[in-house]
Amino acid sequence: MAEGRLKIVVFGSFNAGKSSLIQALDPQSRHIEAASSEGPTTVAFDFGRLQVRDQMVYLFGTPGQERFEFVRQILSRGMDGAIIVVDATRGVDAMTRHLYAQLKALGVPLAFMANKCDCPGAMPEAVSQALPGEMVHPISARNGENVHAALDAFITTLIAR
Ligand SMILES: Nc1nc2c(ncn2[C@@H]2O[C@H](COP(=O)(O)OP(=O)(O)OP(=O)(O)O)[C@@H](O)[C@H]2O)c(=O)[nH]1
Ligand SMILES: [Mg+2]
């Protein structure tokens, strides 16, 4: 039985892999998307849930497109923690920096996931170096590598607070 509930909101640039991460963590997750030139893109939110230790974790994935700032604002209400997904083949871009600054200003606990580490061009170390002092977990949302361990580590820090 879960003893507590945590709302975790997943942020990140367009195409970073936010929806894929939630799909990897909860295969029964739901996704509200539209077609784009890059494939399906989130236009409302992703929703997944899973138990981590004694907590029921509710995951809300945000849209990465800049014009959906208002959706990110709505989904952010009452969050216990934030995950920022970074495409490790592209590195820390302006949108990632913007999201990071916003979340820092709110004082919300946060963790980074350097995604697409299955790709030959992925540079998770460069992502870490660009974010001194932050927790950066290398993952692959595509093959599921390290996704549960990374979430578990983040949730553990939240419970310990
Ligand atoms: N190789 C690889 N591709 C990935 C990985 N995660 C996501 N992708 C691909 O990256 C693209 C974007 O993935 P999404 O999960 O839709 O990204 P998103 O961040 O939700 O995108 P928006 O909602 O549009 O902002 C898709 O083509 C995915 O298949 C990964 O770990 N490895
Ligand atoms: Mg998405």
Side-chain angles (χ1 to χ4, degrees), residues 26-95:
D26 175 8
Q28 295 190 318
S29 56
R30 300 301 169 106
H31 307 269
I32 304 171
E33 301 178 313
S36 83
S37 56
E38 308 280 322
T41 185
T42 303
V43 291
F45 61 93
D46 311 294
F47 177 72
R49 51 171 224 172
L50 73 165
Q51 190 165 340
V52 178
R53 301 174 185 271
D54 60 354
Q55 302 288 312
M56 187 53 79
V57 175
Y58 296 87
L59 295 168
F60 291 82
T62 60
Q65 292 184 59
E66 290 186 25
R67 64 196 173 97
F68 289 124
E69 178 62 28
F70 73 103
V71 181
R72 289 189 289 275
Q73 296 290 338
I74 293 165
L75 292 173
S76 294
R77 284 183 200 153
M79 67 182 150
D80 298 297
I83 290 170
I84 302 181
V85 180
V86 181
D87 180 340
T89 68
R90 302 179 73 103
V92 175
D93 60 8
M95 178 67 175

Side-chain angles (χ1 to χ4, degrees), residues 14-20 41-42 64 115-116 118-119 140-142:
F14 174 66
N15 217 45
K18 304 171 290 295
S19 299
S20 301
T41 185
T42 303
N115 189 33
K116 308 197 185 182
D118 58 289
C119 291
S140 168
R142 175 159 289 176

